[in-house]
Amino acid sequence: GDGGRGRDGSLYRNSLQLLGRDQALLSLGGRTVSLSARHSEILALLSTHPDGLSAEELGSLLYPGEGSTITLRAEMVRLRKVIQELSPDAVPGSRPYRLPLDLVPDTGQVLSCLQRGAHRIALEIYRGEVLPRSEAPGIVDLRNRVSSLLREAVLTDGSAESLLKYAALPEARDDVGIRRAALRLLPPRSPKRAAIVADLERLEAELRA
């Protein structure tokens, strides 16, 4: 290829898709690869810590309880091989472990939209929780932060349409607050009300059960 450059000579956007998937998609230099669950976690953490992490820091964010730096080093060797094949410029450095280029995770796009007050765009990008099955402490923190900031923004500033879009996400299946907020904003004759009322009745029945 032409060194992974776009027509205008700029490098392709290097991105990492973490939302709503158990295996991240890594795009580098115009090529995309699906990562293993563990490599997904490692790159998610490195992309959110651009200054790098020591082996101990990365280990504590990856492994619940006592993390093993030996296990981590073995994973890093494998991950470097995967990245080397895609783009040698992107291979993470060590001591500290850090990425040599800006890798933009979709979580970062969501958070920067929320900071600008653009929750509609954040909702477009948000396809579900960050690596939903991961139990890595650093990922659980990231997942909770992105998820709660988005919910907060939609509840505070969202239109009925945004609230309904949020309510359709898997994590909002049992979210009473979001549905009540949508009912308050929908016009009295809206055909969408019936489905929300039915949802709320289901949730109340489940709570009583």
Side-chain angles (χ1 to χ4, degrees):
D2 53 1
R5 289 186 177 274
R7 262 186 221 145
D8 58 357
S10 64
L11 282 170
Y12 284 107
R13 188 81 174 281
N14 300 312
S15 66
L16 188 63
Q17 291 177 39
L18 301 164
L19 293 167
R21 33 184 341 119
D22 293 314
Q23 295 188 289
L25 282 184
L26 170 65
S27 300
L28 288 172
R31 294 169 65 197
T32 300
V33 62
S34 176
L35 299 168
S36 73
R38 184 62 85 200
H39 290 169
S40 302
E41 293 168 345
I42 292 173
L43 275 186
L45 293 165
L46 290 179
S47 69
T48 49
H49 294 85
D51 295 333
L53 292 163
S54 70
E56 288 70 27
E57 289 169 329
L58 184 52
S60 71
L61 293 171
L62 268 183
Y63 305 110
E66 285 297 300
S68 156
T69 51
I70 298 166
T71 318
L72 172 62
R73 288 198 179 99
E75 286 293 356
M76 288 304 292
V77 169
R78 288 195 279 272
L79 176 59
R80 284 197 177 104
K81 280 187 185 144
V82 171
I83 295 179
Q84 176 76 31
E85 286 191 10
L86 273 184
S87 169
D89 311 338
V91 175
S94 57
R95 293 193 192 152
Y97 289 125
R98 64 188 296 265
L99 294 168
L101 43 74
D102 278 338
L103 185 62
V104 180
D106 49 7
T107 49
Q109 293 176 298
V110 167
L111 292 172
S112 69
C113 287
L114 293 176
Q115 278 169 346
R116 298 200 309 271
H119 68 264
R120 276 200 195 87
I121 304 171
L123 261 178
E124 289 294 328
I125 302 168
Y126 191 82
R127 293 185 200 84
E129 293 182 305
V130 178
L131 303 175
R133 289 194 191 155
S134 169
E135 289 169 15
I139 300 296
V140 173
D141 284 351
L142 178 65
R143 180 191 304 145
N144 292 342
R145 187 161 64 104
V146 177
S147 191
S148 61
L149 286 171
L150 179 66
R151 182 181 186 275
E152 198 56 39
V154 172
L155 264 181
T156 312
D157 301 321
S159 59
E161 189 188 355
S162 293
L163 286 157
L164 291 176
K165 186 166 181 167
Y166 182 88
L169 289 166
E171 70 203 71
R173 187 185 171 278
D174 300 334
D175 198 322
V176 172
I178 288 282
R179 286 169 174 76
R180 287 200 177 128
L183 271 186
R184 281 198 296 274
L185 292 179
L186 279 171
R189 292 175 183 278
S190 167
K192 293 176 178 165
R193 294 181 76 91
I196 305 177
V197 169
D199 257 356
L200 284 169
E201 284 168 359
R202 164 182 70 82
L203 290 169
E204 276 159 25
E206 282 174 13
L207 281 174
R208 281 199 301 271

